[in-house]
Amino acid sequence: MQVNRADAYKILTEYTKSDSLIKHALSVEQAMKKYAEKFGEDAEKWGVTGLLHDFDYEKYPTLEEHPYKGVEILRGMGYPEDILEAIMGHGTSTGVARVTPMAKTLFAVDELCGFLLACAYVRPDKSIANVEVKSVKKKLKDKAFARAVNREDITLGMEEMGVDADEHIAFVISALAEISDELGV
């Protein structure tokens, strides 16, 4: 199957109606594309993986269903196994090991993207481009801020990827700033 963004976006919007979940998917897609470019990988494939990682979440939000149902749907459409494996590994509850660079990167950017968008939303200018690494790290220590974000997953993702925290946070901020109009930040 030839993976393409247009088809993936159609699947995303068929299953996901929430504006915030669509923006999350777009942010993860962007971070994945930028890391793929940095690593010399297939940016469209990595982007599609990011775009689709939570497409089933609105309809199947439980740990028993997500991402299992989505992967089943995508497998039926002929999506490649490496994409499905990365999606299965993006949460710790599945027990699927993240062994490929794509899977490790998806895990490392997923929760961070959500956290960075939250950081941007509370800024007076609501601008992701003006979010600073030191303020992100300070907010990560504040358990009351964006409490749904799993800080342990952010830390584990950076460890598995083998990236420096400051560099990773700055890289993802920069990636998201490129699509700030689309994200509304």
Side-chain angles (χ1 to χ4, degrees), residues 3-149:
V3 174
N4 73 72
R5 199 240 186 219
D7 290 344
Y9 188 78
K10 203 180 302 180
I11 294 166
L12 172 67
T13 55
E14 177 185 333
Y15 283 84
T16 305
K17 303 305 176 194
S18 161
D19 188 52
S20 63
L21 282 176
I22 289 173
K23 285 180 180 176
H24 173 67
L26 294 172
S27 69
V28 175
E29 172 194 30
Q30 177 68 5
M32 290 292 289
K33 282 173 31 183
K34 288 298 172 181
Y35 264 121
E37 290 168 7
K38 179 179 180 175
F39 298 148
E41 298 286 347
D42 182 339
E44 181 149 14
K45 185 177 204 176
W46 282 42
V48 162
T49 304
L51 195 62
L52 292 175
H53 80 286
D54 276 344
F55 88 94
D56 65 333
Y57 185 75
E58 200 171 272
K59 288 191 177 192
Y60 307 106
T62 67
L63 290 177
E64 293 76 35
E65 296 175 314
H66 171 73
Y68 303 97
K69 294 278 191 185
V71 166
E72 186 180 309
I73 291 164
L74 295 174
R75 184 172 281 122
M77 294 176 175
Y79 273 80
E81 283 301 314
D82 58 343
I83 289 178
L84 304 181
E85 182 182 305
I87 291 172
M88 283 300 293
H90 89 274
T92 55
S93 65
T94 65
V96 173
R98 295 168 289 279
V99 293
T100 65
M102 182 168 65
K104 290 177 182 181
T105 304
L106 178 60
F107 183 68
V109 302
D110 182 20
E111 290 290 305
L112 181 60
C113 282
F115 194 80
L116 293 175
L117 290 178
C119 289
Y121 293 142
V122 299
R123 288 188 50 78
D125 63 3
K126 308 249 187 284
S127 172
I128 189 72
N130 294 328
V131 170
E132 296 178 354
V133 172
K134 67 179 177 156
S135 69
V136 171
K137 290 175 83 172
K138 184 177 177 185
K139 283 181 173 25
L140 280 167
K141 293 176 185 171
D142 178 1
K143 301 293 186 208
F145 180 78
R147 73 183 73 209
V149 173

